[in-house]
Amino acid sequence: MKEIAEVSDKLLNIQKKDGGFDIGYDFNFGFEHKKGESTSPELYAVTVLNVSYDILVEYSEYSELSKKIKKSIVAAVNWIKIHSRLKHEGSSEWVIPYGPYSTNKTMVYNGVSFAAGALGPSIRFFNESEKEILINIYDGFCLYLLNSLTSGKHGDFWFYNDQERTDLSTLKREKIDYYHQAQQLEVHCIAEQYQSNQNQNEIIKRSWKILSFMAVKYNGRVPYTNSDIYFRGHYHLWGLASIASALSTCKKFVSIEEHPAITNALFNVANFITEKAWSGEFFHAVLDKNEKPLTELPFMPRSDAWVVASLSKVVADSAKFDETMLEKVITSYESIKKCDFSGPENHSVDFKKKLVINLYKFKNGR
């Protein structure tokens, strides 16, 4: 309880004045995001705060913190409401930009999923007239995301980029990001438990199969994307681990006959991570194609936080887990805590990356 309260308080303290959340560093998503700008993917914090609220509100010693969490959630939902819009005039589909202070374009699908994941659990905190507006937006998010799914031989998927973008090559437009799809699936499963939606239920039933297939086909070594041109075919642990927790969470919404296959798939991922990425104190953030850690990278608590959260779900999923998995999760968590839940991040844009991005923009008239 103390740990939940401590981490929740940290989230409250980093919420921006506009009600949104910021990833904490500069990066490029087609437009350069400036550190300090709220973005739609960081709305995952709102989903987490809802889960935290449900735990803490039951205890009188955390009543004040619970009130602060509720206030934070309401502020974040207002941010969503301000920046959401109909996809087209007359449409029933709603979207939200990935980075609304940089562009009003949707850019990628995962930002809309994270907004839906935040909105679903939060609607309960509003009065009836406000709920009507928010449910309309929420339903519109789900409709947009369902219509954006592409059917594949081994399961449905989202392309990473919004397919209506005209600024991308065919190669970039057809990029599939399995790691983000896992995180999208998980937040939809969480939201569905609070605010059920028929389209969202359909999203869950259609989007888990490809992740399970990949986890079995590659024995847990699920690639980041559908091409090694991205990330050199490396395994990034924050995203790979998300596949395990997403599959664990979606079991509530699939038939009981599917559970053994899903459990097998998620343990393939979890076992690969605990066997290949463990340093003795934390999980290495990236493994190369030969399954070797990129040891030149420093300890990255953001990456480990995803792994700890995901493997914790795996441990709770069944009695099948190895005791050493739990020991590694606890040790890793202690490492994250020692550095106050913060540290370097390999996706951030340093001076050299900024220079390359700006030269590219200049060359292409952007």
Side-chain angles (χ1 to χ4, degrees), residues 52-64:
S52 177
Y53 175 86
D54 288 340
I55 297 169
L56 297 175
V57 76
E58 298 293 327
Y59 298 87
S60 58
E61 62 265 42
Y62 296 110
S63 60
E64 286 304 311

Side-chain angles (χ1 to χ4, degrees), residues 213-262:
F213 170 82
M214 298 284 283
V216 172
K217 179 181 178 180
Y218 295 105
N219 196 25
R221 294 147 175 83
V222 181
Y224 196 149
T225 69
N226 58 330
S227 173
D228 283 356
I229 196 171
Y230 305 105
F231 310 106
R232 294 177 287 173
H234 291 172
Y235 304 102
H236 288 244
L237 272 293
W238 63 266
L240 181 60
S242 296
I243 292 173
S245 56
L247 291 175
S248 176
T249 309
C250 81
K251 287 167 77 171
K252 296 183 180 72
F253 306 99
V254 303
S255 67
I256 195 74
E257 289 78 17
E258 303 278 12
H259 286 200
I262 294 174

